[in-house]
């Protein structure tokens, strides 16, 4: 049998804890355990893949047999895979303020219940739901080039949702926080009240009036734009497959000179990676610098094919093949204050929060739903509105960014791709869009 050109093994072992509370009742709470590895072997052409459960108990002989099995799988592949050169290495892990593993499940339930109960106390609330998630474990990596790395990490966070109702009209609001810095459930009761009060306020908000107008995006929605519309289009696998609107545009001006977009897995945010899933040292990548497309995001395979960027952006769930993924993606701060941006908008709308949406990075179009907004009249905030969205052409929208604020804020969450979900952070300052396409059903 032929010898493998390369192999790597990424082993993840640990625990996953969850708590779900529905209208004051703890519906479920518990902890599960995982111990799995993903083995990739590169044969004469392509990859052979084997997933191994209960990997910690395997002997060296068994591991060698798995490598042989993966190599047999690789022999049937026809895609010729090359790997770009990339620097191996690992960054130090930041210290946690309070290790969630040291806090009993009963106490976590009590803390989460305190957040949820504050939402239920607000008049007009008809339903509440709170959740807590925690993943704690050790990730180990080794490859045939002699690289070996290991680190322990814990990611945890909570969410609280509140639904308000009146005369058959229902409105919902949500708050959430996720972190790598330790338990974040203490002294958070005000977050439950905050979500509930906003849901009630939305009952009195008017449906937004749609049309083309100036729009101010808050940090969360502008961060979603950076991630969904720009970040995904810059992922090397989409560029390689020809389904990115910015393929072949390195060095071209694709946005306003006010616009710089970065993906930085080295930041101690929710998307932090001390080492990527191919054993590559993570690096900060400036996707767009002052309006000019500067880099794509890569794993080693897409770097070899596409170039124009850095590896270090391969990420995979436990037991899953690593894909090209974002980490902490954000629009850099500019020089404008929030008040200056609202004033410069003159007449338009302030869009706040995110309720999902969709993007087609190949066609270069997007549609995002804001949680709510405020009409801007004569440079000042006016009435609250709901049922509002933002849509448009990615490239045209980037050229229409007139101002970037000096108040960048990062928002943690999760990103799905290829059936996998990984922790990420999106961020941005407030930004001003000229001639934005705003959707609404109001008169």
């Amino acid at each position: 049998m032929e010898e493998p050109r390369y192999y790597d093994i990424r082993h993840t072992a640990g625990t996953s804890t969850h708590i779900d509370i529905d209208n004051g009742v703890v519906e479920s709470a518990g902890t599960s355990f995982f111990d799995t590895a993903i083995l990739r072997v590169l044969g004469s052409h392509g990859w052979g893949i084997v997933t191994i459960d209960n990997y910690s108990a395997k002997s060296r002989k068994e591991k060698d047999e798995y490598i042989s099995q993966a190599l047999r799988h690789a022999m049937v592949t026809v895609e010729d895979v090359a790997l770009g050169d990339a620097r191996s290495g690992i960054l130090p892990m930041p210290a946690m303020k309070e290790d969630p593993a040291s806090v009993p499940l009963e106490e976590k339930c009590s803390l989460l219940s305190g957040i949820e109960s504050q939402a239920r106390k607000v008049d007009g609330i008809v339903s509440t739901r709170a959740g807590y998630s925690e993943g704690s474990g050790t990730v180990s990596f080794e490859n045939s080039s002699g690289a070996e790395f290991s680190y322990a990490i814990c990611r945890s966070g909570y969410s609280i949702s509140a639904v308000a109702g009146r005369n058959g009209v229902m409105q919902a609001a949500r708050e959430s926080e996720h972190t790598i810095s330790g338990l974040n459930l203490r002294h958070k009761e005000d977050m439950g009240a905050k979500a509930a009060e906003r849901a009630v306020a939305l009952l009195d908000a008017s449906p937004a009036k749609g049309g083309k107008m100036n729009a101010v995006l808050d940090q969360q929605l502008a961060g979603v734009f950076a991630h969904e519309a720009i970040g995904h289009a810059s992922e090397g696998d989409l560029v390689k497959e020809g389904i990115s609107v910015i393929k072949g545009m390195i060095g071209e001006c694709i946005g306003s000179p006010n616009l710089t977009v970065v993906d930085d897995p080295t930041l101690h945010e929710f998307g932090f990676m001390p080492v990527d899933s191919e054993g590559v040292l993570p690096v900060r990548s400036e996707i767009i610098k002052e309006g000019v497309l500067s880099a794509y995001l890569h794993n080693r395979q897409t770097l070899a094919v596409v170039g124009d960027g850095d590896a270090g952006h391969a990420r995979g769930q436990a037991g899953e093949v690593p894909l090209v993924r974002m980490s902490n993606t954000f629009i850099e701060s500019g020089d404008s204050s929030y008040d200056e941006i609202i004033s410069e908008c003159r007449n338009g709308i302030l869009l706040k929060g995110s309720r999902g949406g969709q993007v087609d990075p190949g066609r270069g179009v997007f549609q995002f739903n804001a949680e709510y907004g405020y009409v801007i009249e004569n440079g000042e905030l006016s009435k609250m509105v709901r049922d509002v969205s933002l849509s448009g052409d990615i490239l045209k929208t980037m050229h229409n960014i007139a101002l970037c604020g000096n108040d960048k804020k990062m928002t943690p969450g999760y990103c799905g791709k290829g059936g996998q979900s990984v922790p990420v952070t999106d961020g941005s300052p407030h930004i001003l869009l000229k001639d934005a396409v705003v959707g609404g059903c109001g008169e």
Side-chain angles (χ1 to χ4, degrees):
M1 182 183 294
E2 67 181 58
E3 292 294 317
R5 286 192 285 153
Y6 169 87
Y7 72 80
D8 62 31
I9 303 172
R10 179 169 47 88
H11 171 217
T12 308
T15 61
S16 178
T17 298
H18 80 277
I19 304 169
D20 291 303
I21 300 177
D22 185 32
N23 292 312
V25 177
V26 179
E27 283 193 334
S28 63
T31 298
S32 59
F33 300 85
F34 54 91
D35 180 357
T36 185
I38 182 79
L39 165 65
R40 305 188 306 166
V41 171
L42 190 56
S44 57
H45 293 286
W47 293 106
I49 309 294
V50 172
T51 301
I52 309 164
D53 291 325
N54 194 26
Y55 182 78
S56 297
K58 305 302 180 186
S59 67
R60 181 70 252 184
K61 180 181 178 181
E62 289 175 303
K63 294 173 185 178
D64 289 339
E65 290 173 352
Y66 283 121
I67 292 173
S68 297
Q69 180 183 347
L71 181 58
R72 289 193 295 272
H73 296 337
M75 291 173 64
V76 304
T77 62
V78 294
E79 180 186 15
D80 288 319
V81 172
L83 300 180
D85 293 332
R87 180 185 173 192
S88 294
I90 187 168
L91 300 171
M93 284 294 303
M96 286 191 293
K97 297 175 182 177
E98 182 180 13
D99 185 354
S102 68
V103 180
L105 183 64
E106 294 81 4
E107 184 175 355
K108 293 170 185 170
C109 284
S110 177
L111 292 168
L112 185 64
S113 293
I115 299 172
E116 189 267 347
S117 66
Q118 288 301 308
R120 282 188 289 115
K121 290 179 181 178
V122 175
D123 289 341
I125 294 300
V126 298
S127 178
T128 58
R129 189 168 187 88
Y132 173 78
S133 63
E134 173 192 315
S136 181
T138 300
V139 180
S140 301
F141 176 89
E142 63 177 277
N143 67 17
S144 55
S145 302
E148 290 189 26
F149 304 108
S150 182
Y151 65 92
I153 192 167
C154 178
R155 303 182 195 269
S156 63
Y158 69 90
S159 64
I160 172 68
S161 300
V163 178
R166 184 194 305 147
N167 300 325
V169 177
M170 311 287 273
Q171 291 294 320
R174 181 178 183 272
E175 292 289 337
S176 65
E177 291 183 327
H178 294 82
T179 183
I180 61 169
S181 63
L183 187 75
N184 67 343
L185 284 173
R186 301 191 189 280
H187 314 298
K188 299 291 184 176
E189 292 84 0
D190 61 320
M191 299 298 281
K194 183 178 180 181
E197 289 165 1
R198 190 165 68 252
V200 172
L202 283 168
L203 292 173
D204 295 318
S206 304
K209 181 179 179 180
K212 184 175 286 189
M213 66 188 75
N214 293 339
V216 176
L217 276 57
D218 80 340
Q219 298 110 317
Q220 184 177 358
L221 187 59
V224 169
F225 175 77
H227 176 104
E228 296 288 353
I230 303 170
H232 278 302
S234 72
E235 291 172 335
D237 50 352
L238 300 190
V239 177
K240 171 178 171 285
E241 293 162 11
I243 51 176
S244 167
V245 70
I246 58 175
K247 178 182 180 180
M249 299 182 72
I250 291 290
E252 295 185 25
C253 180
I254 63 170
S256 162
N258 298 309
L259 179 65
T260 294
V261 181
V262 176
D263 186 87
D264 191 350
T266 72
L267 292 180
H268 293 167
E269 299 283 352
F270 197 53
F272 170 73
M273 295 187 295
V275 59
D276 91 336
S277 295
E278 294 184 316
V280 175
L281 184 69
V283 294
R284 169 188 167 102
S285 294
E286 286 191 336
I287 301 169
I288 299 172
K289 183 175 177 62
E290 297 176 352
V292 176
L293 181 63
S294 302
Y296 300 122
L297 307 180
H298 289 301
N299 60 17
R300 293 184 63 189
Q301 184 175 340
T302 63
L303 177 63
V305 177
V306 178
D308 295 316
D310 297 299
H313 298 280
R315 307 183 68 184
Q317 281 186 202
E320 298 288 346
V321 174
L323 306 173
V324 182
R325 305 299 297 268
M326 286 171 278
S327 54
N328 305 307
T329 312
F330 56 92
I331 296 174
E332 281 282 26
S333 287
D335 300 324
S336 301
S337 70
Y338 170 75
D339 289 340
E340 288 170 342
I341 289 176
I342 296 297
S343 177
E344 182 65 24
C345 180
R346 296 299 298 160
N347 295 293
I349 192 168
L350 167 63
L351 301 177
K352 294 180 69 67
S354 172
R355 281 186 172 168
Q358 54 192 348
V359 62
D360 185 335
R363 293 174 54 221
V365 294
F366 69 91
Q367 188 271 328
F368 302 137
N369 301 312
E371 188 176 8
Y372 62 105
Y374 291 93
V375 174
I376 299 175
E377 295 177 331
N378 298 317
E380 295 183 352
L381 294 186
S382 180
K383 65 178 181 179
M384 188 183 196
V385 293
R386 54 180 169 84
D387 305 327
V388 59
S389 65
L390 176 73
S391 61
D393 176 273
I394 293 173
L395 296 178
K396 185 175 181 181
T397 301
M398 289 194 292
H399 279 290
N400 287 349
I401 296 176
L403 293 175
C404 288
N406 57 11
D407 55 353
K408 183 180 72 181
K409 179 182 177 182
M410 304 293 281
T411 303
Y414 286 88
C415 173
K417 178 181 175 182
Q420 301 184 42
S421 178
V422 297
V424 296
T425 307
D426 308 334
S428 176
H430 283 87
I431 64 173
L432 171 60
L433 292 181
K434 295 289 188 178
D435 298 324
V437 179
V438 175
C441 57
E443 296 296 329

